[in-house]
Every structure is written in C-alpha cells, then in structure tokens.
Amino acid sequence: MGKLVRTSTPLLCRSKLLCSSLSYLFLSLFFAFYTSLSPTTKCHFRSCPFDPLQSPLFIYPQSYGQQKHPIPTIKSSCNSPVFFSDYSFVLDEIRRVIANSSSDSNGLRYVQGNKNGEKFGNNYTTQKRLSYYDYHDDGIEIPCGFLKKFPISDYDRIAMESCNGVVVVSAIFGNHDKIRQPQGLGYNTLDHVCFYMFVDNVTIKQLYFHNLLSRKTKENRIGVWRIVEVSSEELYENPAMNGVIPKYLVHRLFPNSKYSIWVDAKMQLVVDPLLLLHSLVIMEDVDMAISKHPLYVHTMEEAMATARWKKWRDVDSLRIQIETYCENGLQPWSSKKHPYTSDVPDSAIILRKHGVGNNLFSCLLFNELEAFNPRDQLAFAFVRDQMNPKMKLNMFDVEVFEHVASEYRHNIKQHGSDVTQSIRTKRANPGLLANGGIRNKCEKYLEKMWDE
C-alpha cells in the first residue's frame, strides 16, 4: 500500500488577504512603471537620461535643520509638455548664443543717482511712471532703482560684473528660508553658470552660527551658491521690498550676463538651469518665461486674495493701486490678450533673456512695486499690457513648474529669536469690495471679469 505524502502550502500563500495584497501591489507597480514611460503623462523628460550629473556639492550640518521634505504637489499631466534636448547639445547651443550676443544687448539708458539721493529708487508719481511706458530708443533715461549705491562689497561687485553668461539668483532676508542646493546639474554647468544668493545681516549671522560660513575668507560660498551680504539697513524697511531688488533688477546687478534665472529661496531647482533656459526661453524665442498662477487668471482675483489672506495688510493702499490701474487701462484677461494666457503669474521662478524687452519690463515693474507694495503679481499684467514695445512672454503650465522645482515651507520663526519681523502696515477696511470699495472706478473691469 502506497505511503501518503503530505505537501505543505507556502506561508506566503496561506493568507488570502496577504496574497491579494501582494497581487495588488505588483499590479500597481506595473501600472506605475507603464505610466511613467508614457509621454502623455509627463511634463518633461530628458532625451538622454545618461547625462553625467554633479554629485552632491554640499553636506549641511544637522544643526542647520534643512527641511527634508518638500510641499507635496499633484504633478499631473500637462497640456503643453516640455521636452528637453540632450545636455551636450544644449551646452554647445548656449555657448554659441552667448558668444554671438552683443555687449550692448541691454539697450537701455538708466537715470543715474547723485550724492544727495536719499532713496534707492525714487517713488515717482503715477503720471511720471506712465510717461516711460512708451519707449523709443531716443536717448531717454529710464528710472530703474540705483539712485544710491547698492550696499555690497566692491569684491562682490567685481565678481558679479565678471559673470558674462548665465546667472541664477536668489535671496534670503530676515532668515526666512534655508539655503538649498540645486539638483540635476550637468557635469559642465558650473563652468558656465554663476549662482548668487543675497542675504542680509540677520541671515548671515545664522549662517555663521551654524558654521556654514567662515569669517577667515573673503569669498563666502555654500555649495554652488556665492553668498553676498547686503546692508539692508541702507535700503527699505520692508525685507520683502529688499528682495525685489535682485529679483527684478538682476540685469543691473549683473550687467554683462546674457540670461538669468530668479529662484525664490523657498524653491529648489531639480532640473539643470541650462536645460530650462534652452527649452523655455531660447527655443520659444521669448524675453521671459514664467509660470501661470495655479488658481487665478485675473488681476482682481489676486488683489482680493491678497486682502483676504492678509498678504498685504494696508487694504486702502491695495484699493488705491487697483483703482489707479483701472483708470489707466487695466482690463481683465480675455482671449483678446493672446498670446498672453493669463494676467497672474507664479513668480517664484523667472527665466529671462537680458535685452530691451525684458529689461524695460523689469524696470517698469520695479517702479510700480516701489510706489505701492512688493506684491509683484498685482502690477504684472498692467505693466505687461501697457508697455511698448511689447514683451515676448512664455507663460507655461503650473504642472511644468511643479516638475522643474520643489517647494519648501518657510522657516518657523521662534519666539524671541533674532529674526526681524516684517513691518505690519495699517489694516483698513476688511475687504477690497466692502462698502462699494473699488466698485465705482473699476466697475467696467468687474463687469467684464464676472461676465467672463
């Protein structure tokens, strides 16, 4: 009689729930891998994934408390995906473009300061500012800040003037953010791109405290970033307004650079800046590339959100600003404004080609920010639509923005810390539209916006 042989079931298969879970996991991984290969779901990809990249350039001490996790984003598919060319091709192309750029490509003449100037800018009247919007190359000098010296060392100034290709610029005032290193840099990028981080004395004290900088050297560096200390006591009381200077007057701080990328300190680039400039500016043949706002299309929407969320507490000044723009031609966005696809940008990342179009826009916008407040999204469409000649602009999808950079939260300000608090201006009426608000002077704007 034959012997009964018993076979044991593997432990992994004894639980139906475990088997089902594993099956679901493998199936999900398969579909995730399949989806990742589909070009219709990606906002960008490198044509050559084997481009040699720089290894991490800086290791932060634990005491600095660099945040490890960025703010999560959806990163959904794009209506207009961006395709990056091979790194070696982009490098050669940008070398050629820079070599063929004329030294006088900036093309503008600027109002010069004098020894008795008391302000960095000049806060011109509305009509005086508007008189510069219709520009002709007839020797007229454009007001563009710098009526007194920008307070940095001569050592830094000489280095900035020697940056004659591409510059990436950021700023931290009031120790409001952490310094983060860009990722995905190509092997030759640092030979062709300058990285500059402007900081005030409050921020630089913290960098010394965490031993990120040494007082023994003249040139301060943290990873790729050259750190430039700005004596903000000689500029504006509002730290945000001081940050506007390198953000919009980059062509004056780096007069010999041909291209620039502004990166808010809360952002970390994860794509090589040369690839970004090539795809979003050079290939599109534009003066500037900037992301559309994820929520708003009309300037009035951004103005009401600014008042509602107390991004600027002097609501009366917001009302005066919007009324001024309505009286002088501001219109809500419509298809008639094409090729401009929105009136409200997300200005955390700005890519520029330095020339008449971009430089004129930057100067005019800076003047508006000094006249009213540093909320650059409020003046953006007014300046863009009213200036002449028109600026060529690429407003790319917010999904592209989310793929090329990671966003982090600002520093949490501890009670009693040595961090300068932003000055709170008076808060007036509780809402921009309260008691009639801007209804009278912007009635036509509102009717068009609401009808839209």
Side-chain angles (χ1 to χ4, degrees):
M1 199 172 174
K3 188 176 180 180
L4 180 63
V5 178
R6 294 187 178 183
T7 59
S8 61
T9 306
L11 291 176
L12 286 176
C13 297
R14 288 185 179 181
S15 171
K16 291 183 178 181
L17 179 61
L18 180 59
C19 287
S20 300
S21 299
L22 289 174
S23 300
Y24 179 79
L25 174 62
F26 289 129
L27 192 62
S28 299
L29 290 174
F30 170 79
F31 279 114
F33 178 74
Y34 175 80
T35 302
S36 68
L37 295 178
S38 173
T40 60
T41 62
K42 300 187 72 174
C43 287
H44 76 278
F45 47 73
R46 302 167 71 100
S47 297
C48 181
F50 302 107
D51 288 339
L53 302 179
Q54 294 276 1
S55 58
L57 297 169
F58 191 81
I59 304 299
Y60 288 92
Q62 290 185 352
S63 64
Y64 187 57
Q66 185 197 25
Q67 294 163 310
K68 297 181 179 180
H69 304 291
I71 297 174
T73 57
I74 298 175
K75 293 188 177 180
S76 59
S77 60
C78 293
N79 295 325
S80 303
V82 175
F83 302 97
F84 295 135
S85 301
D86 291 345
Y87 176 78
S88 57
F89 172 80
V90 169
L91 187 63
D92 291 340
E93 181 74 4
I94 289 183
R95 281 173 177 165
R96 183 187 63 80
V97 171
I98 291 175
N100 293 336
S101 298
S102 59
S103 58
D104 61 346
S105 60
N106 288 350
L108 297 178
R109 298 177 179 86
Y110 303 111
V111 174
Q112 300 300 310
N114 55 66
K115 295 180 179 180
N116 298 323
E118 297 180 355
K119 291 176 66 70
F120 180 80
N122 199 34
N123 203 352
Y124 292 89
T125 65
T126 299
Q127 294 308 313
K128 184 66 173 177
R129 297 196 310 275
L130 292 176
S131 68
Y132 295 101
Y133 276 56
D134 190 10
Y135 173 78
H136 302 281
D137 190 10
D138 51 7
I140 297 297
E141 293 182 338
I142 303 295
C144 197
F146 292 93
L147 293 187
K148 70 175 183 180
K149 188 177 180 180
F150 187 63
I152 62 174
S153 70
D154 291 336
Y155 183 77
D156 287 325
R157 189 184 309 278
I158 293 172
M160 290 158 60
E161 291 177 356
S162 67
C163 182
N164 56 9
V166 177
V167 61
V168 178
V169 182
S170 189
I172 301 176
F173 290 92
N175 195 36
H176 201 44
D177 294 281
K178 300 293 184 186
I179 296 178
R180 297 181 178 86
Q181 303 301 315
Q183 297 178 349
L185 297 184
Y187 65 97
N188 217 1
T189 294
L190 294 181
D191 294 332
H192 298 85
V193 180
C194 314
F195 289 83
Y196 276 82
M197 176 73 70
F198 294 89
V199 300
D200 61 358
N201 56 351
V202 173
T203 305
I204 206 164
K205 283 180 182 178
Q206 291 298 312
L207 299 179
Y208 284 130
F209 175 79
H210 292 287
N211 295 318
L212 293 173
L213 295 177
S214 171
R215 299 182 185 274
K216 297 179 180 179
T217 59
K218 221 175 185 182
E219 179 181 327
N220 291 320
R221 281 194 174 276
I222 299 178
V224 303
W225 297 103
R226 175 164 178 155
I227 309 300
V228 177
E229 183 178 6
V230 181
S231 178
S232 53
E233 294 179 357
E234 301 179 36
L235 293 173
Y236 298 96
E237 291 182 347
N238 190 324
M241 191 63 206
N242 289 327
V244 163
I245 297 171
K247 184 173 186 177
Y248 283 102
L249 302 186
V250 59
H251 61 287
R252 300 212 61 189
L253 291 170
F254 300 87
N256 297 313
S257 62
K258 306 302 187 297
Y259 293 91
S260 67
I261 300 178
W262 165 263
V263 183
D264 274 7
K266 66 179 180 179
M267 308 301 301
Q268 179 185 36
L269 287 182
V270 297
V271 174
D272 189 286
L274 297 179
L275 297 179
L276 287 176
L277 281 171
H278 185 263
S279 294
L280 298 174
V281 176
I282 296 175
M283 294 297 291
E284 296 291 333
D285 189 24
V286 296
D287 300 308
M288 177 185 292
I290 194 169
S291 170
K292 290 184 285 189
H293 194 280
L295 300 176
Y296 307 130
V297 174
H298 305 293
T299 299
M300 194 70 71
E301 293 177 310
E302 175 62 28
M304 289 189 284
T306 299
R308 182 185 308 117
W309 301 110
K310 303 178 185 179
K311 296 179 180 180
W312 186 254
R313 290 177 173 261
D314 190 348
V315 180
D316 273 346
S317 73
L318 289 176
R319 176 183 55 79
I320 293 171
Q321 180 181 12
I322 298 302
E323 285 180 345
T324 300
Y325 292 161
C326 286
E327 287 183 306
N328 289 282
L330 177 67
Q331 296 293 321
W333 184 88
S334 70
S335 58
K336 295 179 181 179
K337 289 194 177 185
H338 279 308
Y340 304 141
T341 53
S342 174
D343 278 355
V344 186
D346 187 328
S347 59
I349 296 178
I350 308 175
L351 303 99
R352 299 179 175 97
K353 173 186 177 182
H354 292 187
V356 173
N358 163 73
N359 297 350
L360 178 62
F361 172 82
S362 297
C363 291
L364 297 176
L365 185 61
F366 177 84
N367 295 337
E368 295 300 317
L369 303 184
E370 192 197 40
F372 293 108
N373 58 72
R375 303 297 305 175
D376 53 351
Q377 294 159 313
L378 299 178
F380 183 88
F382 178 75
V383 174
R384 180 199 66 189
D385 296 345
Q386 300 299 319
M387 65 180 284
N388 181 44
K390 297 297 183 185
M391 178 178 59
K392 293 188 289 184
L393 180 65
N394 173 20
M395 296 192 75
F396 51 86
D397 288 340
V398 66
E399 293 88 356
V400 176
F401 174 87
E402 292 178 347
H403 276 75
V404 302
S406 297
E407 181 176 358
Y408 291 79
R409 292 179 175 85
H410 296 299
N411 287 346
I412 298 176
K413 296 182 179 180
Q414 302 293 333
H415 179 70
S417 62
D418 187 23
V419 178
T420 57
Q421 300 291 328
S422 299
I423 295 176
R424 292 186 175 185
T425 55
K426 64 172 183 175
R427 185 163 183 254
N429 295 326
L432 202 59
L433 298 178
N435 302 320
I438 61 172
R439 194 64 190 268
N440 295 330
K441 295 184 178 180
C442 291
E443 185 173 359
K444 292 183 178 179
Y445 180 104
L446 291 168
E447 287 177 353
K448 289 182 180 179
M449 184 182 77
W450 283 330
D451 179 65
E452 190 73 21

